[in-house]
Amino acid sequence: EAYSTTNEKLDVALHFGGAVASEGFKLYQNTPNPFKGETLIGFELPEASEGTLTVFDINGKALQVVRRTFDKGYNQVTFQSGQLPAGVLSYRLETLNHTSSRKMMVID
């Protein structure tokens, strides 16, 4: 929270390289991480929308792509380690109005 000098509550937004972190859009760290077996990637959307969750290798090659219409609020997608190479990978969630990415690690 932030307040003015007259104690009025102000709106707060975070800026990252020109992009604004929108309230209601959150991409969470996969759990567990690192993982063997399966991991869950959770995220929140401010509105129902079509989205793409993509897992990439360190060279940027797409390894798995999940495209679907996700609900407003909390959503989750599970990935199996047997379908991914061991090592450091990244994942990105893209919707019409938002994009965010994180890293994860697959272990043997």
Side-chain angles (χ1 to χ4, degrees), residues 18-86:
V20 176
S22 301
E23 184 176 326
F25 179 85
K26 295 179 183 139
L27 176 61
Y28 297 110
Q29 186 64 53
N30 64 302
T31 56
N33 188 41
F35 75 99
K36 179 178 183 177
E38 71 177 28
T39 193
L40 180 125
I41 298 174
F43 54 92
E44 293 188 41
L45 299 177
E47 67 276 328
S49 63
E50 290 187 21
T52 304
L53 182 60
T54 308
V55 177
F56 299 93
D57 67 12
I58 60 171
N59 296 315
K61 178 183 174 189
L63 301 174
Q64 287 198 3
V65 179
V66 176
R67 286 187 188 97
R68 69 172 75 135
T69 300
F70 295 103
D71 296 328
K72 176 181 179 178
Y74 184 78
N75 294 269
Q76 61 188 29
V77 176
T78 302
F79 290 94
Q80 304 297 320
S81 63
Q83 300 171 341
L84 298 168

Side-chain angles (χ1 to χ4, degrees), residues 33-37 81-82 84-89 104-108:
N33 188 41
F35 75 99
K36 179 178 183 177
S81 63
L84 298 168
V88 177
L89 306 176
M104 65 180 172
M105 181 175 281
V106 180
I107 54 178
D108 283 331

